[in-house]
Amino acid sequence: MSYAIGLVGKPSVGKSTFFNAATMNDVPEGAYPFTTIDPSVGEAYVRVACAAPEFDETCTPSVGYCDDGTRFVPVQLVDVAGLIPGAHEGNGLGNQFLSDLNEADVLVHVVDFSGKTDSEGEPTEGHDPRDDIDFLEDELDMWYLGILEKGIERFESKYHGADASIEADLAEQMSAFRTNEDEIKQIILAEGLDLDPSTWDEADRESLAREIRKRTKPMVIAANKIDDPAAAENFADIAADPTYDHLPMVPTSAHAEKALKAADEADRVDYTPGDDDFELVGDVSEEQEAGLEQIRSLLDDHGGTGVQSSLEAALFDALDLIAVFPGSDDGSTSEKGSFRDCFLLPEGSTAADFANHIHTDLGDGLLHGIDCRSSRQIGGGHVLDDRDVIELVTTT
């Protein structure tokens, strides 16, 4: 699992329920602040159309699983400790929260769209979900700004020879965010700033910190408790607000997803995660059937529970990942099985990137690749498409 999704949000919005629904783990749930103290880590999955049927093969995944032509590729899901305003100043579990976030490539922010929890995670009525979306972005921006300021101080305290560059010092100071000198320079110039921090005012620094945060910690909003009428109203309003155009937003009911998966495990329903319907296959009480039909109505209205879609929006929309399968141009199958692996790579990755992702030895010895659908030879610099099946020909 090469990518980690951080599950974030204020206390009592349903983060732990979302985590349990996505992973079917058993972490504590409760309507009180800081149910989660230490981060819980589990295995969740994202869906990819399996390539094996196109080659008249039956896949044998080494990790994850395949269900009727849909590959469920594992990713790491981290339920991070509860957050309250002032985290960047150490309030609540702020320092632990921010430290744990360094392990995440992308964030899913679980927000109570019903408006029934206040900024501290306590029960209320009429709370505006915008406040929760804004406060998390503000907390992260202030966190980034503090680290940015240290990088600027570091630059200004040094003797500036011919090789001195603000982007190098900022990249080193912010290395925990998996950025680099080229990206930092690109962001500075895109913000219309000079490569001289002495010309930046406070607003410039805040804007720069915000843009670096958006690039290095992209975020998806899981609009949770969407089965509540107030949540549906809030979602329609906020999703149409251009202020939030930069945030993918998914109507979500973590409770419904968990209920469906539990019913599927008990052989009461046939449900595939992410589907927009399910089939009753076992005996259920009248009360259980009524509850399941309410969930069916929710699926009809929103195209699913949103849990699976939130994870996939995080990886495929926010991070722009593609899926690539190692294959064999002659159709041969290894002793261990066929189409065993499916790797997730950044959009724009090349055949050489793919080889290095699997193992640096493969990258070092790469001669060329073969597109297994067309049997065409491709060079190491060939840019891959989503769901490509590639054989790597190497000296190793």
Side-chain angles (χ1 to χ4, degrees):
M1 293 184 288
S2 55
Y3 287 93
I5 299 173
L7 203 57
V8 298
K10 71 184 184 184
S12 308
V13 296
K15 277 196 308 100
S16 295
T17 303
F18 186 110
F19 178 86
N20 285 336
T23 64
M24 290 309 282
N25 282 15
D26 186 20
V27 303
E29 298 175 17
Y32 53 90
F34 306 127
T35 302
T36 301
I37 301 299
D38 296 316
S40 301
V41 180
E43 184 177 88
Y45 302 91
V46 292
R47 293 170 295 175
V48 174
C50 187
E54 298 175 48
F55 293 80
D56 295 323
E57 295 277 357
T58 299
C59 69
T60 51
S62 60
V63 293
Y65 63 99
C66 196
D67 184 355
D68 195 25
T70 298
R71 192 74 165 251
F72 285 79
V73 181
V75 295
Q76 189 178 73
L77 186 62
V78 182
D79 181 11
V80 182
L83 173 69
I84 62 172
H88 72 281
E89 298 172 339
N91 292 348
L93 302 176
N95 292 330
Q96 177 180 335
F97 171 86
L98 297 174
S99 176
D100 292 339
L101 278 194
N102 275 338
E103 304 304 315
D105 299 288
V106 61
L107 307 179
V108 171
H109 182 189
V110 181
V111 177
D112 178 0
F113 261 56
S114 72
K116 293 181 179 176
T117 49
D118 67 17
S119 60
E120 303 288 334
E122 300 289 351
T124 190
E125 292 289 337
H127 182 76
D128 190 344
R130 287 180 179 84
D131 294 343
D132 299 337
I133 298 172
D134 294 343
F135 102 76
L136 180 55
E137 289 205 289
D138 290 344
E139 289 295 334
L140 297 182
D141 291 345
M142 291 301 99
W143 176 35
Y144 270 65
L145 178 61
I147 298 171
L148 177 79
E149 297 280 12
K150 291 178 182 177
I152 295 172
E153 290 172 9
R154 176 179 181 163
F155 174 79
E156 292 176 338
S157 68
K158 291 165 50 177
Y159 168 73
H160 292 164
D163 296 332
S165 69
I166 181 61
E167 61 268 28
D169 281 309
L170 290 183
E172 187 168 350
Q173 188 68 43
M174 308 184 88
S175 60
F177 300 134
R178 302 174 196 178
T179 187
N180 57 61
E181 189 173 334
D182 289 341
E183 183 176 40
I184 293 291
K185 183 176 182 178
Q186 181 188 60
I187 296 171
I188 292 172
L189 296 177
E191 288 293 293
L193 302 176
D194 294 330
L195 295 172
D196 178 3
S198 68
T199 65
W200 304 346
D201 60 20
E202 184 178 350
D204 292 333
R205 295 181 184 207
E206 290 180 2
S207 177
L208 182 57
R210 184 177 304 111
E211 190 58 31
I212 294 172
R213 188 267 304 168
K214 286 181 179 179
R215 297 275 192 104
T216 60
K217 283 285 183 285
M219 188 185 307
V220 168
I221 303 298
N224 200 27
K225 306 183 184 181
I226 198 66
D227 43 328
D228 187 300
E233 265 184 54
N234 285 329
F235 181 82
D237 190 25
I238 297 171
D241 187 338
T243 305
Y244 302 102
D245 283 349
H246 65 289
L247 293 169
M249 206 168 287
V250 182
T252 303
S253 173
H255 174 76
E257 178 73 7
K258 188 178 178 188
L260 283 176
K261 282 189 173 177
D264 183 76
E265 287 188 350
D267 294 325
R268 294 190 177 97
V269 304
D270 183 8
Y271 171 66
T272 301
D275 278 2
D276 59 3
D277 201 1
F278 61 89
E279 182 182 357
L280 277 172
V281 294
D283 293 332
V284 295
S285 68
E286 288 186 10
E287 183 180 1
Q288 288 171 327
E289 185 172 2
L292 287 168
E293 289 307 316
Q294 285 184 338
I295 293 176
R296 195 191 301 276
S297 177
L298 172 79
L299 301 186
D300 287 341
D301 290 342
H302 300 290
T305 69
V307 170
Q308 193 65 45
S309 296
S310 294
L311 301 177
E312 289 159 3
L315 291 193
F316 299 130
D317 296 338
L319 279 187
D320 292 324
L321 300 185
I322 62 171
V324 183
F325 296 85
S328 175
D329 183 47
D330 63 9
S332 61
T333 301
S334 74
E335 293 179 2
K336 295 182 179 180
S338 176
F339 284 88
R340 288 176 48 76
D341 297 306
C342 176
F343 294 99
L344 302 178
L345 300 171
E347 188 175 35
S349 293
T350 64
D353 294 329
F354 181 39
N356 279 296
H357 180 83
I358 297 174
H359 199 287
T360 54
D361 285 350
L362 288 179
D364 291 341
L366 181 66
L367 297 174
H368 60 264
I370 299 175
D371 182 329
C372 295
R373 286 191 175 90
S374 65
S375 297
R376 182 170 59 92
Q377 182 173 309
I378 58 175
H382 176 82
V383 177
L384 303 178
D385 291 324
D386 187 38
R387 297 185 62 255
D388 268 353
V389 182
I390 303 296
E391 180 177 2
L392 297 171
V393 181
T394 77
T395 59
T396 52

